[in-house]
Amino acid sequence: MVQIVCTLLLFMVIIFPIGNYVYHVSVGKRTFADPVFDKMDNFVFRILKIDTSTMTWKKYAMSLLMVNLCLVFIGYLILRIQSIGFLNPNGISGMEESLSFNTIISFMTNTNLQHYAGESGLSYLSQMLVIIMMMFTSAATGFSACVAMVRGLLGKKMGNFYVDFIRIINRFLLPLSMIIGLFLVWQGVPQNLNSNIELTTIEGKIQEIASGPIAALESIKHLGTNGGGFLGANSATPLENPTIITNIIELFSMMILPVSCIFVFGRMAYDKYEESKANNSVYTLSTKNCNRANKVWMGKEGRTIFVAMSILFVIGLGVCFWSESLGNHAVAQAGITETLGNMEGKEVRFGVAQSALFTTVTTSFTTGTINNMHDTLTPLGGLVPLMHMMLNVVFGGAGVGLMNMLIYAIIAVFICGLMIGRTPEYLGKKIEGKEMKLAALCIIIHPLLILGFSALAVSIPEGVNGITNPGFHGLSQVLYEFASSAANNGSGFEGLVDNTLFWNMSCGIVMFLAQYLPIIIQLGIAGSLMNKIDINESTGTLKTNTLTFAIILVIVVYIFAALTFLPAIALGPIAEMLTL
């Protein structure tokens, strides 16, 4: 427990300056690195002849989709022809059609679900030009959409997708991933273009040790909440995650960008509050107040969202750590006393504490990377990552987690408005029928994709044939696979035989729809609210920047999860737990 607490406290120390920097990048304020990055941005704008004028929400969404579709086409082509000799020292053949479709959709949507083993399924050309490249673009896409949505909710212009997209890559993802990559190399993570190393073990067997640009992939896969892995066993292997220090760095990397999005939201809401008071001549910003405004880190609205997400996270982490600490039921039945907890599928160098923390973080921040096998978790321990992917708002991925929580905030103020007989308002904007219909549609897409495709999988032979575990755990495998796909997570129970036509195509469709449909709807809601006149705060206005509202948010999220997912969960991990 001390390990976990110290790790989280250390993260809280480093996130404030990083979050403040990301806020300055998002709103175009000056930073210490501008002399260098301004030249980089301007060079890219000139080469690509980018029009930097402000877009409507429709044009913003269309630009986002078109850039992603172009990258999908290029990436699919590279995967199919990767057998060419260029950057392919291990002689990897071209990827099969359905697997190529699944892989390219997976990495374009920031899901990074892998139905292949990286060391045997991809050439270095594909690892760099498809996998690593899309880890940058998918993270930048989610973050850009988030910033645009926040602007719209606050009544500001949506901005320009290309500007947001390029700025977050050049000024944050690229430099920080290089720093983290060098740190990982220092700790022993390989970074080269050599072929795999063939060795003879002491038993006289031949073993291949994977090689390649592993550190480059590891840095951006965590920083961009991508997940996936250069190797099939992911960050459980010493080649990707050799020490407890790299484990902590990878943990922090996963958490930085989603939490920074909350900083951006809170600070932008605070800026609007100060601007509105100044414009109404009720309050004039003095030099002292300006200095105080610069010292505001997260803002009250941001703190409320952060507290709500943190409550959800801590509850899940506590359940997962407690359950894994109890040990393995099958081992106990064999008469063996466990003192270290359930160590099945876990690395000794991490133990139960860091494994439980990593499991909770990777599925809360929808990264998908793993340092232990989730299929070997206890039923309640496995329920936590499954539930957090179903909630999809426990911080979430790069930008999309905050976007989903803001939709819940709109629903929460609507419900509270009905209870007190007031017109619901959020961030000074009146919430009306159009916004509520779009919010309800956005919320229902996630469970519809998970439960609908899970039902399909257990109803036809093509789906059932992939299930390797009998009974309740087999259903948990299916639920986990589609929850991971829909939440843009990418982790898996790994017992599923998923590299088949059915699983490749069905998961690819879920990943595509779950990523782009909500983003379009959320931008539409922001575009609708952007054009509305701000409403003055009154005694009947529900305060959305308080601890009370944070608790309301948590309750609304749990109620919605119970109404949609509880029956399926009861037949999976809960039933498995009760049978033990």
Side-chain angles (χ1 to χ4, degrees):
M1 292 175 66
V2 173
Q3 289 184 47
I4 293 174
V5 171
C6 289
T7 302
L8 295 178
L9 287 178
L10 181 59
F11 171 75
M12 291 304 299
V13 172
I14 68 171
I15 189 56
F16 282 92
I18 296 176
N20 187 53
Y21 171 75
V22 174
Y23 157 73
H24 279 76
V25 170
S26 302
V27 299
K29 290 189 176 182
R30 184 158 186 81
T31 69
F32 68 93
D34 281 351
V36 175
F37 293 137
D38 283 344
K39 295 178 181 178
M40 290 176 59
D41 292 347
N42 293 333
F43 175 75
V44 175
F45 294 152
R46 279 199 311 271
I47 292 297
L48 300 180
K49 297 181 179 180
I50 291 175
D51 178 8
T52 59
S53 59
T54 300
M55 298 177 174
T56 64
W57 77 265
K58 293 180 181 178
K59 187 174 181 180
Y60 199 102
M62 183 58 66
S63 299
L64 183 153
L65 287 174
M66 292 307 298
V67 167
N68 279 239
L69 286 174
C70 290
L71 292 172
V72 163
F73 175 78
I74 296 171
Y76 181 85
L77 181 62
I78 293 174
L79 291 177
R80 296 288 290 128
I81 65 170
Q82 68 174 357
S83 58
I84 61 177
F86 184 62
L87 292 176
N88 188 16
N90 297 316
I92 306 296
S93 59
M95 188 174 280
E96 183 265 334
E97 294 93 331
S98 67
L99 183 57
S100 296
F101 168 80
N102 179 276
T103 301
I104 200 65
I105 295 297
S106 176
F107 283 86
M108 192 65 257
T109 58
N110 199 242
T111 309
N112 304 79
L113 183 72
Q114 291 178 284
H115 288 178
Y116 64 89
E119 62 266 47
S120 60
L122 291 178
S123 67
Y124 295 165
L125 177 70
S126 295
Q127 292 277 24
M128 291 189 290
L129 293 188
V130 179
I131 305 305
I132 295 177
M133 183 270 291
M134 288 196 172
M135 286 181 173
F136 282 97
T137 58
S138 62
T141 295
F143 181 86
S144 301
C146 177
V147 173
M149 180 184 181
V150 170
R151 292 191 190 113
L153 292 179
L154 296 173
K156 300 179 181 295
K157 294 181 179 180
M158 300 290 283
N160 184 289
F161 170 73
Y162 302 110
V163 173
D164 295 334
F165 184 78
I166 291 169
R167 280 177 65 86
I168 193 61
I169 292 178
N170 284 350
R171 296 167 183 262
F172 181 77
L173 293 174
L174 189 59
L176 196 54
S177 65
M178 292 175 66
I179 294 171
I180 295 172
L182 290 173
F183 183 89
L184 294 177
V185 170
W186 168 58
Q187 284 292 298
V189 179
Q191 176 67 24
N192 55 60
L193 295 176
N194 302 330
S195 60
N196 292 346
I197 303 169
E198 193 174 273
L199 299 173
T200 302
T201 68
I202 58 176
E203 296 176 327
K205 306 293 184 181
I206 301 298
Q207 181 178 349
E208 277 199 358
I209 307 298
S211 191
I214 300 178
L217 186 144
E218 288 302 300
S219 59
I220 186 57
K221 93 169 186 183
H222 292 102
L223 188 61
T225 67
N226 292 285
F230 195 95
L231 309 173
N234 215 289
S235 287
T237 66
L239 289 174
E240 291 195 14
N241 188 11
T243 67
I244 190 65
I245 298 176
T246 60
N247 191 69
I248 293 175
I249 292 299
E250 291 179 7
L251 274 170
F252 288 170
S253 299
M254 285 188 270
M255 302 162 73
I256 284 174
L257 195 53
V259 177
S260 295
C261 290
I262 303 175
F263 275 79
V264 174
F265 167 68
R267 289 290 298 274
M268 289 177 69
Y270 179 84
D271 291 345
K272 177 188 176 181
Y273 174 70
E274 292 294 325
E275 290 170 6
S276 65
K277 288 198 294 187
N279 293 336
N280 291 333
S281 301
V282 176
Y283 181 82
T284 303
L285 284 175
S286 64
T287 303
K288 178 180 178 181
N289 286 325
C290 283
N291 291 333
R292 181 173 64 84
N294 289 331
K295 295 178 181 178
V296 174
W297 292 103
M298 200 179 290
K300 289 185 177 180
E301 295 288 351
R303 285 200 298 268
T304 302
I305 297 294
F306 179 79
V307 168
M309 291 180 170
S310 298
I311 292 173
L312 295 168
F313 176 80
V314 170
I315 291 173
L317 175 59
V319 172
C320 185
F321 176 61
W322 170 76
S323 182
E324 295 305 302
S325 299
L326 293 179
N328 188 300
H329 181 76
V331 174
Q333 278 190 325
I336 301 173
T337 302
E338 289 183 295
T339 58
L340 299 178
N342 176 32
M343 284 298 295
E344 182 190 4
K346 296 179 177 62
E347 291 293 304
V348 177
R349 67 186 186 280
F350 302 139
V352 167
Q354 289 295 328
S355 297
L357 178 59
F358 206 97
T359 295
T360 308
V361 168
T362 193
T363 48
S364 299
F365 292 79
T366 64
T367 307
T369 180
I370 58 170
N371 76 347
N372 65 96
M373 293 299 106
H374 292 185
D375 194 37
T376 61
L377 295 170
T378 60
L380 279 184
L383 173 62
V384 170
L386 177 61
M387 176 58 73
H388 281 195
M389 291 187 296
M390 289 175 169
L391 296 179
N392 206 22
V393 293
V394 190
F395 292 104
V400 295
L402 176 61
M403 295 172 75
N404 292 335
M405 184 57 92
L406 291 176
I407 297 298
Y408 274 106
I410 291 174
I411 292 176
V413 296
F414 178 76
I415 293 173
C416 293
L418 292 178
M419 294 170 65
I420 63 176
R422 296 279 183 173
T423 302
E425 304 166 12
Y426 188 56
L427 300 174
K429 302 289 185 179
K430 183 183 293 186
I431 306 299
E432 296 178 303
K434 178 182 178 181
E435 291 79 34
M436 282 311 305
K437 290 174 184 176
L438 290 174
L441 178 60
C442 184
I443 288 293
I444 206 67
I445 287 173
H446 188 64
L448 178 63
L449 291 173
I450 296 173
L451 300 177
F453 276 86
S454 294
L456 176 65
V458 298
S459 301
I460 60 176
E462 290 81 0
V464 174
N465 291 338
I467 302 173
T468 58
N469 283 282
F472 305 118
H473 194 79
L475 178 61
S476 298
Q477 282 183 312
V478 175
L479 288 171
Y480 196 103
E481 185 76 1
F482 286 115
S484 181
S485 299
N488 307 125
N489 183 263
S491 64
F493 265 6
E494 301 307 335
L496 203 67
V497 181
D498 48 24
N499 187 13
T500 63
L501 179 63
F502 170 79
W503 287 103
N504 285 335
M505 298 303 295
S506 61
C507 290
I509 293 170
V510 169
M511 288 185 284
F512 182 84
L513 296 178
Q515 172 75 347
Y516 296 113
L517 286 182
I519 284 179
I520 293 172
I521 295 172
Q522 288 158 349
L523 290 177
I525 293 173
S528 175
L529 293 176
M530 178 183 66
N531 298 319
K532 292 189 176 184
I533 300 174
D534 284 344
I535 300 174
N536 292 327
E537 188 176 294
S538 66
T539 55
T541 301
L542 174 68
K543 298 281 187 180
T544 59
N545 55 9
T546 63
L547 177 61
T548 301
F549 187 72
I551 295 173
I552 290 173
L553 265 181
V554 172
I555 293 173
V556 169
V557 170
Y558 275 137
I559 289 176
F560 180 80
L563 291 174
T564 51
F565 294 114
L566 184 58
I569 290 175
L571 293 174
I574 294 178
E576 184 182 0
M577 176 198 68
L578 294 175
T579 58
L580 297 179

